[in-house]
Amino acid sequence: MQMEKNNYILVTGGAGYIGSHTVVALIENGFTPVIVDDFRNAQRSVIQRLEELTETNLLVNDFSIHDKNQLIQLFNKYPFSGVIHFAADKAVGESVENPLKYFNNNLGGLISLLEVMIQFDNQKLVFSSSCTVYGTPDLVPVTEDTPTKMPESPYGFTKLMNEQMIHQVQTAHPELNVAVLRYFNPIGAHLSGWIGEEPQGTPNNLLPYITQTAVGKRDFLTVHGNDYNTPDGSCVRDYIHVVDVAEAHVAALNFLNKRKVGIETFNLGTGKGTSVLEMIRFFDEISGMNLPFKVGSRRSGDVPEIYANTDKANEVLGWTAKRTVKDAIRDAWNYEQQAKEIQ
């Protein structure tokens, strides 16, 4: 594709887990990412690691996207050719305990960003959504046409509301050109071991809890329920390598650059479900360990089983998940073992 001169891409939450991997993918594909992050959910050391990994002096701005004045200054400074919006709180369990925090940050942040994009006639947006918008689906795998439902958690509710907000704003401002990416369960780390998932405090996601248990940071892993109507009784998810997710954002930008679409929605997954107990078994196989775990009660907000049909992303974006669940576990384990040295 013919690249635009000064092809700046605003990446909100660019120091976070998926954001940092997407920054690498953008640079590898000739884009110039401009990061905005207030580091509420990210380690500041990730910036230095990203710079060493990409051999690039990154453009980093330390503020919250709720600060419209600073966003306006940034849009005045850079002729952005697109925006990727990651900045949001994302822990399902925490959202159940503190829904107002999620409503304020996840809804308010998008409002602020859209207002500034419209002010500057900046049209291209890749939005970070979630499979939680499907709630507990009646059938799996889910397609983009599967009806959305009231999600099981306030986090999922904010993603569903974000999508509805985008649709209604786009109706009022048809110049907006949006790709909505519904992630399933991103896991893993960069092959280099230099960037990966860095949860603040106790991990909410399965794989970092597994790897932290393996290195002794946690005494044992709790499997939240083994009595679901699934093949082995534990929850089933579509775990997708974070680098595959990052590459999908590049594909989405290229898609938006090629044609006017209004809004298009894409599932990002592997198309295959993996259970919690299978994940533990795969980790034991890869690490040679016997991970200590216990079975606990079901966790509020959990969906028993969900995985994606990814035909649309494969055909329209020309993207497919190239890496396996075992690849992701291997890379996450490699990152965990290096984490003390690089942070």
Side-chain angles (χ1 to χ4, degrees), residues 43 197-224 283 289-294 333 336 340 343:
Q43 303 282 352
E197 191 165 5
E198 301 177 353
Q200 306 287 309
T202 303
N204 285 280
N205 295 331
L206 175 63
L207 190 51
Y209 210 114
I210 286 176
T211 59
Q212 287 192 11
T213 301
V215 296
K217 294 180 183 177
R218 311 288 164 191
D219 293 333
F220 58 87
L221 171 74
T222 299
V223 176
H224 295 287
F283 178 80
M289 300 180 67
N290 227 345
L291 191 80
F293 73 91
K294 297 180 181 180
W333 179 226
E336 184 68 59
K340 282 185 179 180
Q343 289 183 4

Side-chain angles (χ1 to χ4, degrees), residues 40 97 165 170 173 189 208 230 242 248 274 288 302 314 320 342:
R40 62 192 287 172
E97 297 171 1
M165 287 161 59
Q170 202 274 339
H173 299 274
T230 60
V242 66
T274 304
D302 274 343
N314 302 158
T320 188
I342 62 177

Side-chain angles (χ1 to χ4, degrees), residues 26 50 83 116 123 125 150 160 187 210 223 235 252 276 307 316:
L26 287 168
L50 281 171
V83 175
V116 178
Q123 299 173 1
L125 172 66
M150 180 58 70
L160 182 59
I187 59 172
I210 286 176
V223 176
C235 288
V276 173
Y307 56 96
V316 178

